[in-house]
Amino acid sequence: MKITNIRTHIVMPINKLAWVFVEVDTDQGISGLGECTEYIGNPHLVRGLEAVKPLVIGTDPRHIEEIWQRLFHAYSNLNSRGYISHLISAIDIALWDIRGKVLGVPIYELLGGPVRKEVSLYTHVRDQWHSPDVDTMMTEAREAKEMGYLAIKTDPFPPQLSSLNSPFKGATQVEYLDAKAIVEAVKWMEALRETVGPHFELLVDAHGRFDVASAIKACHALAHIDLVWFEEPTHVESDNALRQVRENTNVPLCVGERHFTRWDYWQLLNDRLVDYVMPDVAWCGGISEWRRIAAMAEVQYIRVSPHDALGPIALAASFQLSMATPNLYREECLHTWFPHMEGLITPMLDIRAGSIYPSGQPGLGIELDMDGINEYRVDIDDLQASLPY
Ligand SMILES: [Mg+2]
C-alpha cells in the first residue's frame, strides 16, 4: 500500500472562520481524513501541506510512526513544534483513519479498545472578551444546561483589554487587569454560577493573555466560583510565570492548546504546574502524540481534555482518543457549531444530551460530504482576506 497524494480542502461555513481538511490518498482507493485548522495560521498550513508532499507520497500508510518521525526530524531546524506539529497532526490523523478503514474498525479499537460507552462534552457560552452581554450569556447557559451539558467554559475578562482590539491589530503586549476589569469578570462568573446552580461545572479561559500579577489577582477573585480549572493564566513561553501563579493560588490550572508534542509537556507535568492538560489533536502531533501526552499525564494522575475549537474532523479524532483514554476529563466542543458541521461530513457524529456516542464505523467514522464541501469551499486568497490582522 502506498500514499499517492495529499489533497487539501479549505471550507468556510462560519463567517471568517475557515477549516483546513486534508485527504491522504492511497493506491488502493482508500483515503484518510485529517485536519489542522489554525485560524490565523491557515494560509501557512495550506502551503505547508503542499511542501511536505515529497516526504510522504510513495510511503506506506501503515507506517504511521515512521512517517511521524520522518516529518518531525526533517524539520528540526524549524523546531518541529507548532507549525510543523500542525502539519504532522493532519497527516497522522489521516493515517490512523486509513488504518481503521483497512481493518474495518474504529480508531479507538486500535488504541486498546473503549474505556467508556460515550464521551461527555463541555461547551461554551459567549466570552465577555468578545461580547459583553451578560443577559445573552445567561440565556445561552440555561439553554446548554437544558440540552444536557454538565460543564461550560467562558472567558469572563472584559473586551477592552483584548489585544485583538488594539489599534495595532495584533498581540502587541502582555495584558494587565485593573480593578474594574476584575470586578466585571467576577460579576460575569457570579451571573453564570447563579444561572446553572452550585453543582454545575464551570471553567474559565484567560487565553494566555495576562501578566503574572494580573493572573494571580484574577484567580483569587474567582476562587469562590469553584472552578474546574483556570485556563492559560499567563503567556505560554514561560514555565516560571506559570509556576509563580501556581504557587499563589489554589484554583486548579490547565494549559495545553499552545503546547505541542511530548517535549512541550514533560517538564510542566513533571513539575506539576497544572491540574489538567488539554492538547489539541490537530496541533500537538496528531493521534499518535496526543495518546503519548495523555499517558504522560496519567503518570502524574493529571486528567487530559482534548482542546477542540476546530472543525468536525478534529472533533471526530478527539472523540476516538477520548473513547480509549482512561484519565479523560471531558472533550471540548462549541455546540453551536454542530449545525455548520452537519453539511460537511456524513454521517454527522451521534451527539445527544451533551455526549458523543460511538457509531462503530471504521476509522474516524465519517466521510466528507462533497456537496457541502464544495458549497463552502474557499481558496487561499479568500483565506488571507478573512484574517483579522
Ligand atoms: Mg483556550
Side-chain angles (χ1 to χ4, degrees):
M1 200 173 190
K2 293 273 185 276
I3 294 171
T4 54
N5 202 3
I6 300 172
R7 289 177 293 135
T8 305
H9 306 283
I10 317 165
V11 295
M12 200 182 299
I14 302 171
N15 186 33
K16 293 188 182 292
L17 288 181
W19 293 333
V20 175
F21 303 151
V22 306
E23 277 191 276
V24 174
D25 298 329
T26 66
D27 59 359
Q28 303 204 1
I30 292 176
S31 297
L33 299 177
E35 178 172 355
C36 61
T37 300
E38 197 299 309
Y39 302 101
I40 299 288
N42 278 342
H44 303 283
L45 293 168
V46 170
R47 293 188 182 101
L49 287 163
E50 203 58 38
V52 301
K53 277 184 177 179
L55 284 162
V56 178
I57 291 173
T59 59
D60 187 331
R62 292 173 298 185
H63 298 175
I64 299 172
E65 184 62 27
E66 197 277 329
I67 293 168
W68 196 103
Q69 296 286 342
R70 176 195 292 251
L71 290 167
F72 186 77
H73 290 290
Y75 297 102
S76 63
N77 284 354
L78 282 172
N79 191 345
S80 302
R81 288 175 271 174
Y83 176 55
I84 299 302
S85 67
H86 286 56
L87 301 175
I88 294 173
S89 297
I91 293 164
D92 182 87
I93 294 167
L95 297 182
W96 281 97
D97 189 31
I98 290 169
R99 197 78 196 115
K101 285 172 175 167
V102 167
L103 297 173
V105 293
I107 291 168
Y108 62 77
E109 296 285 2
L110 304 175
L111 302 176
V115 295
R116 52 182 49 82
K117 290 194 169 74
E118 75 273 346
V119 171
S120 178
L121 300 165
Y122 76 84
T123 190
H124 288 246
V125 290
R126 71 186 48 215
D127 295 336
Q128 183 160 205
W129 181 25
H130 290 114
S131 174
D133 177 351
V134 71
D135 291 331
T136 307
M137 179 276 286
M138 290 168 75
T139 302
E140 289 172 353
R142 208 170 291 119
E143 287 170 356
K145 187 178 178 187
E146 282 167 10
M147 291 170 78
Y149 291 94
L150 303 173
I152 283 177
K153 189 162 87 183
T154 183
D155 183 335
F157 302 104
Q160 67 268 26
L161 298 166
S162 166
S163 50
L164 282 173
N165 291 337
S166 143
F168 303 107
K169 283 191 161 184
T172 55
Q173 56 186 314
V174 176
E175 293 177 33
Y176 168 69
L177 281 171
D178 62 18
K180 182 168 176 286
I182 289 188
V183 166
E184 286 182 27
V186 170
K187 273 189 199 157
W188 189 264
M189 290 309 298
E190 285 178 347
L192 179 52
R193 171 58 78 203
E194 189 188 320
T195 304
V196 296
H199 305 305
F200 198 92
E201 294 181 6
L202 293 180
L203 300 73
V204 156
D205 191 352
H207 288 103
R209 310 207 309 273
F210 302 129
D211 61 68
V212 171
S214 295
I216 293 171
K217 272 190 186 174
C219 287
H220 283 308
L222 295 174
H224 66 293
I225 305 295
D226 188 20
L227 299 175
V228 174
W229 76 52
F230 189 109
E231 178 172 322
E232 294 197 308
T234 53
H235 279 237
V236 68
E237 288 82 6
S238 172
D239 274 0
N240 271 341
L242 184 60
R243 191 187 319 275
Q244 194 179 343
V245 177
R246 178 69 160 174
E247 288 171 351
N248 286 282
T249 181
N250 289 323
V251 175
L253 301 178
C254 177
V255 298
E257 68 187 82
R258 272 167 263 249
H259 289 79
F260 312 117
T261 80
R262 74 204 87 155
W263 287 279
D264 273 359
Y265 278 89
W266 77 268
Q267 189 75 56
L268 76 95
L269 286 169
N270 214 36
D271 290 352
R272 309 198 59 80
L273 297 185
V274 291
D275 304 276
Y276 297 85
V277 288
M278 45 154 196
D280 191 310
V281 67
W283 300 348
C284 76
I287 286 172
S288 301
E289 196 67 1
W290 197 100
R291 179 85 168 153
R292 290 190 270 256
I293 293 164
M296 289 163 62
E298 188 188 6
V299 170
Q300 307 281 351
Y301 305 109
I302 287 173
R303 288 197 188 274
V304 62
S305 178
H307 174 262
D308 236 319
L310 316 180
I313 298 173
L315 187 73
S318 295
F319 166 72
Q320 295 290 328
L321 282 159
S322 297
M323 281 294 289
T325 298
N327 53 325
L328 181 77
Y329 164 58
R330 299 180 194 276
E331 178 175 349
E332 183 174 15
C333 76
L334 289 104
H335 72 278
T336 51
W337 287 7
F338 293 159
H340 300 291
M341 297 179 178
E342 274 169 20
L344 300 176
I345 57 167
T346 182
M348 178 56 185
L349 298 171
D350 182 7
I351 302 169
R352 287 173 274 141
S355 292
I356 307 181
Y357 289 80
S359 68
Q361 293 299 306
L364 291 168
I366 55 171
E367 295 294 344
L368 294 179
D369 179 333
M370 291 314 295
D371 289 341
I373 296 291
N374 289 328
E375 185 179 346
Y376 293 105
R377 188 185 295 281
V378 296
D379 64 23
I380 201 159
D381 294 331
D382 300 322
L383 256 191
Q384 203 78 51
S386 73
L387 299 179
Y389 298 144

